[in-house]
Amino acid sequence: MATTLCFSISVLTPTPQSSSYHSFSLFPKIPNLTLSPFSLSPFIRLQISPLPLTSLRSTASYSPRMASNDAQDPRLARISSAIRVIPNFPKPGIMFQDITTLLLDTKAFKDTIDLFVERYRDQNISVVAGVEARGFIFGPPIALAIGAKFVPMRKPNKLPGEVISEEYSLEYGTDKIEMHVGAVQPGERALVIDDLIATGGTLCAAVNLLERVGVHVAECACVIELPELKGRERLGDRSLFVLVNGA
Ligand SMILES: O=P(O)(O)OC[C@H]1O[C@H](OP(=O)(O)OP(=O)(O)O)[C@H](O)[C@@H]1O
Ligand SMILES: Nc1ncnc2[nH]cnc12
């Protein structure tokens, strides 16, 4: 493999058509990189360095930084290249980060779960809260592996029992997520998981909902971050762990 790194940077241009979806590009180009057949772009994403759960923030860098303690961890590159990017979905100008192709790659999918499990298995987490819909894919295997319960955080009017709701703002309008009353107890320690953080509105709402019922959120975790959308800033002091940056 060639070792020269080139950089291709496109600055975020918010699209008027976009509401909760946003497009951008910020990634190092790596010639001769082996990519999955699903990847539309011959690029590897930037990666975010790990922080212990006690740390509050991690920062993106132009040097690839790995989510594992091993700076050469090859799993992140494979995960990154297994995520398909679909331009102009669901709206013109959006670069949709499609994790369904990651799920087809059994090694990359397993590596994704393993990376989260390695980070959280000794953190005394009793609740993994997954955000609808794609947090329902990554959350349950992590919960099972670390011995925590899985709590779905759903879109409005989907849960049959009594719910507690949290509204949050989108670029235009508002949305809401809900959780069953009694699913968690005050004093429990939670991990909030989703596939992707963009503006951070969804994760913020999930954290707020859990904190309102006395749960301590140890960390939020996502497979992908779109750093230009500054979701990390919206989370404030809440700790965020991600594996790769969006292409
Ligand atoms: O950081 P934010 O700006 O809040 O955006 C991130 C959210 O957007 C996507 O879900 P989406 O709202 O598309 O719902 P879906 O998973 O049900 O399709 C993604 O899976 C996150 O949940
Ligand atoms: N670009 C994107 N791809 C996938 N999910 C998203 N949610 C918000 N923005 C997204």
Side-chain angles (χ1 to χ4, degrees), residues 96-124:
F96 189 83
Q97 310 290 312
D98 178 18
I99 54 89
T100 65
T101 47
L102 171 63
L103 309 179
L104 301 177
D105 182 333
T106 53
K107 175 157 174 36
F109 186 23
K110 181 174 187 310
D111 286 346
T112 302
I113 301 303
D114 286 349
L115 281 162
F116 289 126
V117 170
E118 286 163 19
R119 185 171 178 87
Y120 298 114
R121 69 178 148 214
D122 297 321
Q123 300 296 335
N124 197 27

Side-chain angles (χ1 to χ4, degrees), residues 19-22 96 131-135 155 168-170 175 194-204 229 231 234:
S19 56
S20 60
Y21 286 86
H22 315 259
F96 189 83
V131 180
E132 184 170 355
R134 288 166 260 162
K155 300 275 165 72
Y168 59 100
S169 58
L170 300 170
D175 209 339
D194 204 350
D195 68 323
L196 177 143
I197 177 167
T199 66
T202 308
L203 280 182
C204 265
L229 298 178
R234 189 162 175 180

Side-chain angles (χ1 to χ4, degrees), residues 153 164-168 177 179 192 201-215 217 235 238:
M153 313 206 80
I164 175 170
S165 307
E166 178 80 16
E167 201 166 84
Y168 59 100
I177 56 167
M179 176 178 72
V192 178
T202 308
L203 280 182
C204 265
V207 172
N208 289 343
L209 198 47
L210 288 161
E211 289 180 347
R212 274 170 52 199
V213 294
V215 169
V217 176
L235 278 176
R238 279 82 170 247

